[in-house]
Structures are given as C-alpha cells and as structure tokens.
Amino acid sequence: MTSQEIKALTGQYVMNTYGRFPVAIDHGQGATLYDPEGNAYIDFTSGIGVCDLGYGNQAWADAIAQQAKKLGHVSNLFYTEPAAKLAETLCKRTGESCVFFASGGGEANEGMIKLARKYSFDKYGKGRATIITLNNSFHGRTITTLMATGQDVFHNYFFPFTEGFRYADADDLSSLEAAAGDDVCAVMVELVQGEGGVLPLDKEYVQAVAKLCGEKDWLLLVDEVQTGVGRTGALFAFQQYGILPDVVSFAKGIAGGLPMSGIMANEKCRNVLGPGTHATTFGANPVCAAAGMVVQETLTDSFLEEVQAKGAYLRQGIEALDLPCFGKTRGLGLMIGIEVKEGYNKSEIANKLIENGLLVLTAGPGMRLLPPLVITKEEMDQGLAIMRKALS
Ligand SMILES: *Cc1c(COP(=O)(O)O)cnc(C)c1O
C-alpha cells in the first residue's frame, strides 16, 4: 500500500484518538525509518521511548521468532523460563527483590498503586490510602492513573475519577510536607518528568523524599515507565539518584518494542500482593520476556556509559547549532528536552523537522528527543544537519 492509501484506510476504520504526524512507516534499520515510498527518516523518538535497540535488530528478531515457534503464550497459571529469567536479571541488576509482569505502563502503575494501598491496609487498616504525586507528572491514561497525573488538563470528561490523590510541587520538600497527613500511604514520582517536559528532579530532593518516606512508613513509588531500561544512561534512573524505591514501575523500553511492563518491589513489599490479589492475562508473555532478555544482554555497563556520552554529544550539538527557536537543552542520558523560545510553536517545529526527514516528539512546553539507544554518531550528525537546514 502507498502512504496515501494507509492514511485513508486508517482515517476510515481506526478511532480518531491521536493527532498523528502525516507519515506512514513501513520498516527501519538502526535508528533510521522508511516510509512505503522509501523516504528515510532519522528517528529521535523510538516509538515514544520503546525501541531502545532501534529497528531490524537481528538478535532481538531471532529471539522473538524462536520463542514464538516454541510457545507464544500460556498464562500465569503455569511456569515459563523466559519470564523467570528476566525477573532474575532485573532483580540482580537493581537490588530489588521480585517482579510482577504486565503489558502497559498505565497498567503497571495501577499495580503499584494497588500494592501501596494494600501494604498500608494490611498494616494500618482502612483510611490510609492517599498517594501524593507531583504537579506536572504523568502516570497513564486509566481512570486511576489519570487522577495520579498531577495536571488538571487530564482530569476532565471521564468522571467520576478514583479518589485518594494529592499533589505537591516537584523539588519542594515543604510542599510535600504540606500535603502530608494521617491518610497518606505513599509518594509516587517520575525521576525525570517525561510528558511534563523532560524535567529531571533534583538529587538531594529525591533523597530527602526517600528519607521522609522511611520515617513515615510511606512507600516510595517510582514510575520508571519512561526513564527505565537504559534511557537515562543507567539501567534504571533510581540507580543514578542513589535510592532503592519500595516499588518501581517499568514499561516502554523493557522488551524493545513488544508490549510488556511490570513492577519491581523490594524485600519489604515482597508479599503484599499475594495469590488472587492481582493478575493480568497477558502478563509475563514468554515472547515478550525473550525479547526483554535480549535488551538486558545488550545493555551492559559499557553500553550504558555510551548512552550517557551520546546524550551529551547530542545536547552539545543542538546547543552549538544556536537555532533561533531553541533555548537550553536538559535531560539525562538519551532523554532530552529542548526549550522552545517564545514566539515559536513546538508542533510547527516538529512538523517542519518531520517534513525534512527527522522524527521528534514534543513534551510539556518544549521538544523531547528519545532516540534509540543504539543510535550511531552518523545518525545523530544527520539529525543535527536536518535541524540546521530546517530551522535556521
Ligand atoms: C508512557 C508513560 C506512562 C503510560 O504508559 P502506557 O504504556 O501508555 O500505559 C506512564 N508513566 C510514564 C512516566 C510514562 O512515560
């Protein structure tokens, strides 16, 4: 099919819930994508932070094909090797104790919220169920995670929302203390606010929050759906912040492009969700887990150091272009935000770049770049050249 035909068919039969860019993608190699007509696009998006190994990765495709031939799905009523191995790897590399696998980020966060509330219910009984989240956060699109999201624009249309969330300002301990109360059971944060605009939290603030959570027996819940799995130049961002969260959620990059998510819990929270309290049909799918193992094998310590170096290179390159529309860059590893100067429109900039062959994202008030972690220097240079050409 041609791009035009794909777009027309989508317009007729797919629910119109996305403001899509006017491009159809057919295939890819490395960090370069191609439309059906063969036009190339340098990819600074990774399918919204998912395709950490880029496109056409041979080891990843082989692992998926082999596992699919052996066993595509069997449910959590039985044991399978790939999920057990992936859980072991994640725990050994992070210091967490156990994993629950699900399929999407919002779903993982629902599990994290359930765990926090049950931990408190088991220990203190009813009435201690409130979770403090941060203003400008993003935690998902379910009825509950929309409410966990600290942005009023998400609290519309779908009433009634789940009760029990209160919001504090990021990097402001007094705001968190003001939100405290006898009804609180947990604090939930993204260490780099992604959808909110790529805003890394301050390390001292995060460590102070962890200390406060310990004192009050609030669980510290870290949403690493976007920051996790190498994106920030560590396997998980919390490792760079010097904390061990009670529960961590992950999703996007975990299986390099297949739908998989989950939560990891520390020893204290190991037995909170017992048999019958939480489940999901597709969770721990063996094909997704086999793909996840290839991601884990790829993300060695030296690979993660390269992610940091690539992030620094790209940020310096962007700032050196000195484009009229862009201000400072910010971020961690290959999770990069670019300030858009007043008088310029982020969506217009994104469209202009895409027309010229560079795929980018927006977030909050600015641009957001989440390139595949395997992106090469040549591909980054091509992307920078497109920025110069399209935006000078
Ligand atoms: C993307 C994202 C989610 C939602 O994940 P889905 O897979 O779309 O449900 C939740 N939290 C954060 C931080 C995210 O970036």
Side-chain angles (χ1 to χ4, degrees), residues 48 103-107 109 138-141 190 194-195 223-226 251-252 368:
I48 321 186
S103 304
E107 186 194 7
N109 287 337
F138 180 80
H139 296 297
R141 295 279 185 169
E190 300 161 86
E195 304 296 316
D223 177 349
E224 292 233 27
V225 167
Q226 191 159 157
K252 291 187 164 89
R368 175 175 47 152

Side-chain angles (χ1 to χ4, degrees), residues 1 3 25 45 51-52 62 75-76 96 111 115 135 152 242 246 271 273 275 277 282 286 310 319 339 358 362 384:
M1 287 174 85
S3 291
I25 300 297
T45 74
C51 306
D52 31 28
D62 287 347
S75 92
N76 288 294
E96 297 289 352
L115 192 157
N135 286 318
D152 286 340
D246 294 301
N271 295 315
L273 294 177
T277 59
F282 286 119
K310 287 176 190 180
E319 294 193 359
E339 181 196 335
L358 175 64
T362 62
L384 290 169

Side-chain angles (χ1 to χ4, degrees), residues 210-228:
K211 187 161 168 273
L212 188 66
C213 285
E215 285 164 13
K216 303 222 178 240
D217 200 16
W218 298 342
L219 294 191
L220 176 56
L221 314 178
V222 177
D223 177 349
E224 292 233 27
V225 167
Q226 191 159 157
T227 52

Side-chain angles (χ1 to χ4, degrees), residues 319 326-330 337-341:
E319 294 193 359
F326 287 165
K328 286 268 169 225
T329 65
R330 57 180 176 270
I338 314 172
E339 181 196 335
V340 170
K341 284 194 184 149

Side-chain angles (χ1 to χ4, degrees), residues 162-175:
T162 308
E163 291 172 28
F165 293 94
R166 205 177 293 148
Y167 314 101
D169 289 334
D171 284 346
D172 181 348
L173 203 62
S174 61
S175 171

